[in-house]
Amino acid sequence: MNKRITVEELGQKDYKETWDYQELLFKKIVDLKISNRRNNTSQPTPNYFLFVEHPHVFTLGKSGDMSNLLVDEEQLQQHNAKFYKINRGGDITYHGPGQIVGYPILDLDNFFTDIHKYLRFLEEMVIRTLAEYGLKATRSEGETGVWLDAGTPFARKICAMGVRASRWVTMHGFALNVNANLGYFDLMIPCGIKDKAVTSLNAELGRVEVPLEEVKEKLLFHFKALFEAELVQDQPAT
């Protein structure tokens, strides 16, 4: 079991380019697992954690409903936004500047083979991070992600999640609103859930901006503890 995870900071990067890079790393792990099985070898499989900030983009998961996007192609262009149908779970999600997007690409055989536990750990990572800012975040029953005041008329989502897993290898991940422009969420029905508000860390704290690097450090601290992992910083592969 290889619990070493390479952390890569991609900076600001187009969604499709990042998706292609995820697929490349995902295939690398899956191919090695297949090779190990065929050849009765035990080469350790690598793990990755990508941080990225996307330009404005809406993505629709495999089970998503296209009607949850409330604008047409022309209006998307007016908002300098793109749209993609993708191969993760979940419905529609927005990514944009001021949002921390994390893509753990892990071989869960190195940790635990339980996708529900994996999602709960990602949620817990965010919940513990927000607690450091004095916010009591929780899960919302039957809904993936992290919420404030869940189960009340004031429920608002601060972190969306959607993952894909095959042969226990994960991709896609989470999007935490830190300094995000919340106006873009009005262009869709977030995660296909009507009548639920969306919020961000800076809005909750009443601050103009929260340093993204500060939040990333906290996320990684809790991720490392939950997954009992060794984290190493690296530059993106070429």
Side-chain angles (χ1 to χ4, degrees):
M1 294 172 65
N2 175 29
K3 292 200 169 189
R4 183 184 175 99
I5 302 174
T6 300
V7 180
E8 296 185 9
E9 174 58 71
L10 303 185
Q12 293 190 355
K13 196 174 184 67
D14 176 77
Y15 185 87
K16 183 61 168 63
E17 288 182 39
T18 310
W19 185 10
D20 289 344
Y21 184 53
Q22 281 194 78
E23 291 280 12
L24 183 152
L25 298 178
F26 178 88
K27 185 176 186 300
K28 176 181 176 181
I29 299 171
V30 169
D31 286 352
L32 181 53
K33 295 187 77 167
I34 292 172
S35 175
N36 279 338
R37 179 168 293 185
R38 285 178 177 169
N39 301 312
N40 196 27
T41 54
S42 56
Q43 294 186 61
T45 50
N47 308 285
Y48 303 91
F49 189 121
L50 311 179
F51 271 131
V52 66
E53 192 176 1
H54 292 306
H56 303 295
V57 63
F58 296 90
T59 68
L60 187 71
K62 291 182 294 183
S63 59
D65 187 340
M66 190 66 197
S67 66
N68 288 325
L69 180 66
L70 304 179
V71 291
D72 58 25
E73 188 171 339
E74 182 180 342
Q75 291 169 307
L76 280 174
Q77 291 177 358
Q78 291 172 358
H79 286 88
N80 296 314
K82 294 183 178 180
F83 171 79
Y84 294 102
K85 288 185 178 180
I86 61 174
N87 59 354
R88 61 159 170 76
D91 205 284
I92 195 164
T93 300
Y94 161 78
H95 297 312
Q99 187 184 68
I100 292 177
V101 178
Y103 297 130
I105 305 174
L106 312 179
D107 179 1
L108 290 182
D109 273 320
N110 289 324
F111 302 93
F112 47 78
T113 50
D114 185 332
I115 195 65
H116 295 289
K117 181 177 179 179
Y118 172 67
L119 283 166
R120 300 298 83 78
F121 270 22
L122 291 185
E123 291 167 345
E124 185 64 22
M125 168 192 68
V126 175
I127 289 169
R128 292 184 183 185
T129 296
L130 295 175
E132 292 199 50
Y133 290 95
L135 298 179
K136 183 174 175 54
T138 60
R139 299 169 182 85
S140 180
E141 188 173 352
E143 298 167 335
T144 303
V146 178
W147 300 71
L148 298 175
D149 292 328
T152 77
F154 308 104
R156 53 209 183 277
K157 194 169 194 176
I158 194 167
C159 183
M161 293 186 182
V163 303
R164 174 195 173 200
S166 178
R167 297 179 183 267
W168 295 115
V169 180
T170 68
M171 63 180 291
H172 300 296
F174 67 92
L176 174 61
N177 299 329
V178 180
N179 308 310
N181 181 343
L182 299 180
Y184 276 80
F185 288 93
D186 294 335
L187 307 181
M188 66 175 190
I189 300 174
C191 301
I193 304 170
K194 296 181 179 180
D195 304 321
K196 291 286 181 73
V198 177
T199 191
S200 62
L201 182 55
N202 69 329
E204 293 296 325
L205 298 179
R207 290 163 59 176
V208 174
E209 189 171 294
V210 179
L212 294 181
E213 294 306 316
E214 174 185 285
V215 181
K216 289 176 188 176
E217 287 181 11
K218 296 180 188 301
L219 288 167
L220 286 178
F221 175 83
H222 296 298
F223 180 87
K224 177 180 180 180
L226 287 161
F227 285 83
E228 300 178 342
E230 175 191 357
L231 303 183
V232 292
Q233 299 283 341
D234 198 8
Q235 297 298 315
T238 55

